[in-house]
Amino acid sequence: MSTVNTDKLSSARFAQATDAFVEVFTASVDFDRRMAQQDIQGSIAHAAMLCKIGVLSETERDDITEGLKKIGLEIAQGQFKWSIKQEDVHMNIEARLTELIGIAGKKLHTGRSRNDQVATDIRLYLRTEINHISAQLARLQSALLDLAEREADTIMPGFTHLQVAQPITFGHHLMAWFEMLSRDRERLQDCLKRVNIMPLGAAALAGTSYPIDRQMTCDLLQFAKPSANSLDSVSDRDFAIEFCAAGSLIMMHLSRFSEELVLWSSAQFDFIDIPDAFCTGSSIMPQKKNPDVPELVRGKSGRVTGHLMSLLMLMKSQPLAYNKDNQEDKEPLFDTADTLINCLRAFADMMPHLGVKRAKMFQAAQQGFATATDLADYLVRQGMAFRDAHEVVGQAVRLGLDSQRDLAEISLAELQEFSSYINADVFDVLTLEGSVAARRHLGGTAPDTVRKAIETARAQLQAR
Ligand code: ARG
């Protein structure tokens, strides 16, 4: 008496057809088809396991495997016909498999649910994306090392409160960016440990009555281990949230680099030249060259942090185990991965071509009394207490301000008016070169120290 409506899941249970709008509203195939190859990979492993435990014959397993491979090819070549009626990537592939191989296709879903299937797909997908992102991060780091090496001796002003503070080397500044990215890569690798866990076997939520071999599926899919609890397996999206959190930090870092590049390329700073290939003009102002790439990256950082918030809110208060809410995890996740890869790529491509205006950087460091701390340190070395030295230097700066001269431009006689501790050798510390060269301790800005830091960093990057 029951008729099978192949267009609708669990159709026998329903007396009414799905509302046409609801069908579109609840479907996810438009976006989750992105995980088609992972879905196929998971199904092939599942079928192999079902055969081993005697649920599928070897012929059925081989038919399923061949059928799925064919479907993988159809999808890769853009020939696959996706249907909204089949709701999601999983049902689309299964329906096509049954069309290709008949009854064996209908056996594939034995002992599993779309709930553990989708969790597996996302983890497989994310695992690959994390590797791509890490590779782009490493590319950008390597470009920064090259640039830092080239600019190890370049003097620029270091800022606090965006006011000239103390002279630093540009190589040192670039290595600060490098350090941020190193932590970013570490965070991704740490996140990967929790992504790389196999949920398959949890089925809908309570596991399955078949004597499944989860270790076998786990090994076939090269996961580190099977998940420990079936309820948690289908409902956990922590790993996706962690990924977006790590991604948000990456984008936050890129937004900071971006901001500096935008400022430095302005006529007011004029420290760098962003290559033409990474800028665009204005449709109305012919003279303009806009730093579009860093601006866009800066803007996109907001979008990734937004995705992190979306996922946190998505999971907040969800009761165990799987809920349809979870279907909303994919678009933010995919967009986070895409945005990261694109932004990192643009930066890695741009970095080697960055024009550095060394003379401008040097001039800027000569303004703002950047060596005032060096003068205070000099006085302390001559025996003065730091607080008194601070006071003496304050007077010297006052004179410099009134007479529009940098500290190095004030004569020895004039300086000696402020303190008898001052001798001719004071000019060694008042020059920008002397100031940076003096900071040669671990983590300091001296050119030779920076070159050592670059060497260590390069070795670390290669050993990853
Ligand atoms: N499309 C669903 C998702 O993305 C797959 C799992 C559906 N499971 C279910 N019981 N409705 O989460």
Side-chain angles (χ1 to χ4, degrees):
M1 58 164 267
S2 71
T3 53
V4 177
N5 168 9
T6 51
D7 282 349
K8 166 108 195 196
L9 275 173
S10 329
S11 55
R13 191 225 173 282
F14 290 89
Q16 276 185 332
T18 314
D19 176 273
F21 173 69
V22 169
E23 194 166 77
V24 176
F25 183 66
T26 55
S28 55
V29 62
D30 280 351
F31 50 86
D32 65 16
R33 54 194 262 198
R34 200 134 165 196
M35 305 186 300
Q37 299 302 341
Q38 287 82 2
D39 197 68
I40 288 170
Q41 199 188 344
S43 290
I44 290 174
H46 181 64
M49 187 278 289
L50 288 181
C51 174
K52 186 197 163 202
I53 64 166
V55 170
L56 293 178
S57 72
E58 289 185 0
T59 316
E60 285 167 335
R61 176 200 60 197
D62 294 344
D63 287 353
I64 288 173
T65 308
E66 287 318 302
L68 286 170
K69 284 186 180 162
K70 184 169 191 308
I71 293 170
L73 223 61
E74 289 176 356
I75 293 169
Q77 292 168 350
Q79 289 155 0
F80 189 87
K81 281 211 202 61
W82 297 99
S83 160
I84 209 114
K85 293 224 174 284
Q86 295 298 339
E87 195 180 316
D88 56 24
V89 60
H90 325 293
M91 298 310 301
N92 267 272
I93 291 174
E94 193 186 312
R96 175 69 182 139
L97 182 66
T98 303
E99 197 175 282
L100 284 174
I101 67 166
I103 189 88
K106 295 190 188 182
K107 295 189 181 182
L108 171 63
H109 209 52
T110 312
R112 89 173 171 185
S113 152
R114 282 182 299 155
N115 297 352
D116 58 345
Q117 191 178 353
V118 72
T120 307
D121 293 0
I122 305 172
R123 286 170 184 270
L124 288 172
Y125 160 83
L126 212 48
R127 201 167 74 175
T128 317
E129 293 300 294
I130 287 177
N131 289 331
H132 289 324
I133 296 162
S134 296
Q136 289 296 337
L137 270 171
R139 263 190 78 218
L140 175 53
Q141 285 187 291
S142 155
L144 285 173
L145 288 180
D146 293 345
L147 194 57
E149 197 153 46
R150 210 179 78 195
E151 305 299 332
D153 293 294
T154 306
I155 289 176
M156 70 179 290
F159 298 90
T160 59
H161 313 269
L162 204 58
Q163 313 277 329
V164 171
Q166 290 172 342
I168 56 169
T169 50
F170 187 39
H172 193 54
H173 194 113
L174 291 164
M175 288 304 286
W177 290 357
F178 178 92
E179 288 300 318
M180 297 182 208
L181 297 178
S182 291
R183 293 193 295 277
D184 288 335
R185 225 153 33 80
E186 267 176 44
R187 257 186 294 272
L188 279 181
Q189 291 314 308
D190 192 59
C191 168
L192 186 59
K193 289 184 207 153
R194 285 169 294 279
V195 168
N196 201 23
I197 302 288
M198 199 218 43
L200 217 52
L205 76 163
T208 171
S209 55
Y210 298 96
I212 54 171
D213 181 347
R214 297 189 66 211
Q215 190 57 53
M216 176 182 173
T217 329
C218 180
D219 293 342
L220 287 174
L221 295 173
Q222 293 174 355
F223 278 112
K225 59 181 180 192
S227 56
N229 178 289
S230 66
L231 291 176
D232 184 47
S233 310
V234 290
S235 71
D236 168 34
R237 293 294 181 273
D238 295 3
F239 67 93
I241 294 175
E242 268 189 65
F243 170 74
C244 288
S248 297
L249 281 170
I250 295 174
M251 290 305 296
M252 180 274 284
H253 288 151
L254 292 187
S255 80
R256 298 181 68 185
F257 305 176
S258 295
E259 177 68 8
E260 295 194 322
L261 294 177
V262 170
L263 283 172
W264 293 347
S265 65
S266 70
Q268 287 67 30
F269 273 83
D270 202 24
F271 285 2
I272 57 164
D273 189 38
I274 299 180
D276 286 359
F278 294 83
C279 295
T280 64
S282 155
S283 58
I284 174 168
M285 298 167 283
Q287 85 283 13
K288 291 284 297 253
K289 173 176 154 181
N290 298 326
D292 293 58
V293 169
E295 284 178 319
L296 203 51
V297 169
R298 188 175 62 186
K300 282 179 190 291
S301 67
R303 150 183 191 151
V304 170
T305 305
H307 293 327
L308 168 63
M309 295 304 131
S310 295
L311 290 192
L312 281 167
M313 290 305 104
L314 175 68
M315 296 314 293
K316 179 187 171 298
S317 312
Q318 264 198 51
L320 289 173
Y322 177 86
N323 301 286
K324 183 75 169 177
D325 311 41
N326 288 4
Q327 185 166 292
E328 286 286 297
D329 62 357
K330 302 193 186 46
E331 289 155 294
L333 201 58
F334 296 162
D335 190 67
T336 297
D338 292 346
T339 305
L340 285 167
I341 290 176
N342 293 338
C343 292
L344 288 166
R345 182 196 158 156
F347 261 57
D349 288 349
M350 180 172 66
M351 234 16 98
H353 309 289
L354 205 68
V356 178
K357 301 185 174 178
R358 294 176 185 155
K360 288 285 172 55
M361 286 185 169
F362 192 87
Q363 272 165 29
Q366 281 173 320
Q367 278 140 39
F369 306 100
T371 55
T373 316
D374 296 271
L375 178 54
D377 290 343
Y378 169 86
L379 291 169
V380 168
R381 277 197 300 276
Q382 308 288 345
M384 193 180 274
F386 185 79
R387 269 297 147 237
D388 295 333
H390 193 276
E391 182 57 30
V392 167
V393 178
Q395 289 166 354
V397 166
R398 181 77 256 160
L399 174 66
L401 279 172
D402 292 343
S403 57
Q404 292 184 3
R405 283 177 296 170
D406 186 49
L407 291 177
E409 292 166 335
I410 299 175
S411 72
L412 180 62
E414 283 170 298
L415 288 172
Q416 282 171 334
E417 296 273 305
F418 301 119
S419 168
S420 56
Y421 284 107
I422 298 178
N423 297 306
D425 62 353
V426 74
F427 292 103
D428 296 343
V429 308
L430 289 184
T431 63
L432 299 177
E433 290 86 349
S435 172
V436 294
R439 289 162 167 76
R440 66 175 83 88
H441 54 78
L442 180 71
T445 192
D448 285 340
T449 308
V450 170
R451 273 186 276 270
K452 260 188 227 125
I454 294 169
E455 206 178 301
T456 310
R458 220 185 270 289
Q460 275 168 4
L461 196 59
Q462 267 148 18
R464 82 200 156 91

